[in-house]
Amino acid sequence: MFNQKMLMSLTALCLASIGCGKGPDDPLTGTWSNTACFGDTQQPDDIQSCSTKLRFDADLTLTLTDTRQSLPATAVYPRCTATRAVKGLRYSTDSEGTVTLTGTTSSTLVRQDCSNAADNQSEIADTRDSVPAGTSRYSITNRTLSLTTGPLSGEYQRE
């Protein structure tokens, strides 16, 4: 006859085997980054550098951080570093190399280190970047995460 402790152990083992997004043991857990401008197929003319970070936390939440440094002589926000943080998504993975995103995103923007002090902006709500819920294919080789489908497509290096 099964006791409650044994039943809980079997349930945990079953859930681990189907890959429900395993938190700290999930291979995605951690921070991954690249030098692409999130949401743009090529670097905008007024931007001198970009970085995109994906942070997959052990609590199965995903945060995307899009950081852009504008050119020193651009007409709008010269030499500003604009950082957007997109939150609100949860993720799960399976053993087939699929990551599923659920939830609705919200975004904040901070602008700092600008040539013109008046251009600096403390954190405000922003709607520019969003990440739709859905399913993407991924693979991890060494320290590189490749997302081959979906809105986060690209290659990211583990930090």
Side-chain angles (χ1 to χ4, degrees), residues 46-48 68-82 84 109-121 124 126:
D46 59 345
I47 300 297
Q48 69 180 2
R68 299 169 185 227
Q69 169 89 50
S70 61
L71 291 168
T74 191
V76 179
Y77 306 126
R79 200 183 308 262
C80 290
T81 300
R84 286 184 172 81
L109 169 69
V110 173
R111 200 170 35 246
Q112 59 192 13
D113 302 324
C114 300
S115 294
N116 304 319
D119 291 337
N120 290 324
Q121 175 68 58
I124 60 170
D126 182 60

Side-chain angles (χ1 to χ4, degrees), residues 3-117:
N3 63 25
Q4 185 176 10
K5 192 176 198 179
M6 184 178 271
L7 183 59
M8 288 176 62
S9 295
L10 286 173
T11 301
L13 183 61
C14 178
L15 288 174
S17 71
I18 62 173
C20 301
K22 300 171 238 9
D25 296 330
D26 193 288
L28 283 179
T29 301
T31 302
W32 304 83
S33 64
N34 66 21
T35 56
C37 297
F38 177 73
D40 293 318
T41 54
Q42 50 187 309
Q43 190 162 297
D45 291 337
D46 59 345
I47 300 297
Q48 69 180 2
S49 66
C50 291
S51 70
T52 300
K53 289 186 182 187
L54 303 176
R55 190 179 74 226
F56 293 91
D57 287 325
D59 67 357
L60 303 178
T61 58
L62 168 65
T63 301
L64 178 142
T65 305
D66 173 25
T67 302
R68 299 169 185 227
Q69 169 89 50
S70 61
L71 291 168
T74 191
V76 179
Y77 306 126
R79 200 183 308 262
C80 290
T81 300
T83 304
R84 286 184 172 81
V86 181
K87 300 177 182 181
L89 289 173
R90 298 192 53 78
Y91 76 95
S92 62
T93 59
D94 66 20
S95 60
E96 303 298 316
T98 300
V99 58
T100 301
L101 304 176
T102 58
T104 304
T105 60
S106 63
S107 179
T108 57
L109 169 69
V110 173
R111 200 170 35 246
Q112 59 192 13
D113 302 324
C114 300
S115 294
N116 304 319

Side-chain angles (χ1 to χ4, degrees), residues 34 36 38 54 136-137 145-156:
N34 66 21
F38 177 73
L54 303 176
S136 298
R137 301 284 303 157
L145 167 65
S146 296
L147 290 164
T148 56
T149 60
L152 302 176
S153 293
E155 290 197 348
Y156 302 84

